[in-house]
Amino acid sequence: MFAVSTNEPLHRESKSARAGVNLHIGRFQRWMCEVRLGRYVHEFAAVHLAAGIENLIEELLGQALSFITINTNGDSTSHPVLTAALMEQAIANNGDLWGLLQPFAHLNAGRTASGKNFFLRKFHQQFKK
């Protein structure tokens, strides 16, 4: 993280290169600003998000490739092919990744099953009295 900032004007490395991350930190920061995650998004937040996503991708690919090598039955002539189905199987076999990658849309606070905002309805009923 300390390698990201520099005071040298001729230092022309990208933020990603200085932080040792392969994903583009500038794109993460631009996305974080465009979706308005906060009033001000510091570049270190983008560094941490990019590093976390990169680690997650590496872990997913490692799990999928180990799943492929386990299930090839020692056949060294075939080349491993990574497909979406193999990724899903590898994620399903790892409890940590499976729990992390579940959709959390059902946990949206303040929404009912029909999608209506529960708190606004309560708020309007409170002031109608």
Side-chain angles (χ1 to χ4, degrees):
M1 182 163 68
F2 295 108
V4 174
S5 298
T6 183
N7 293 330
E8 298 177 23
L10 297 176
H11 198 72
R12 301 202 188 228
E13 278 187 316
S14 68
K15 292 178 188 177
S16 301
R18 285 182 275 163
V21 179
N22 291 322
L23 297 176
H24 297 279
I25 293 173
R27 290 182 186 168
F28 274 92
Q29 188 172 11
R30 185 179 62 210
W31 171 79
M32 292 168 80
C33 291
E34 285 176 357
V35 298
R36 298 181 186 201
L37 289 179
R39 202 174 329 154
Y40 175 74
V41 177
H42 199 275
E43 71 179 275
F44 290 163
V47 169
H48 285 284
L49 181 63
I53 296 292
E54 186 173 309
N55 253 347
L56 180 64
I57 291 170
E58 286 175 5
E59 186 69 27
L60 285 171
L61 290 176
Q63 289 288 324
L65 291 176
S66 68
F67 187 77
I68 289 172
T69 56
I70 290 171
N71 293 330
T72 56
N73 298 328
D75 185 16
S76 61
T77 59
S78 66
H79 296 288
V81 177
L82 186 64
T83 62
L86 284 174
M87 289 285 287
E88 286 182 15
Q89 279 186 317
I91 291 168
N93 286 339
N94 187 334
D96 292 334
L97 291 177
W98 184 83
L100 180 67
L101 298 174
Q102 290 304 303
F104 292 104
H106 66 285
L107 298 176
N108 189 359
R111 299 276 178 190
T112 61
S114 64
K116 295 180 181 175
N117 195 329
F118 177 73
F119 291 119
L120 283 179
R121 188 173 61 213
K122 283 279 237 186
F123 180 76
H124 288 298
Q125 288 175 355
Q126 187 178 23
F127 285 103
K128 283 184 181 178
K129 293 179 183 177

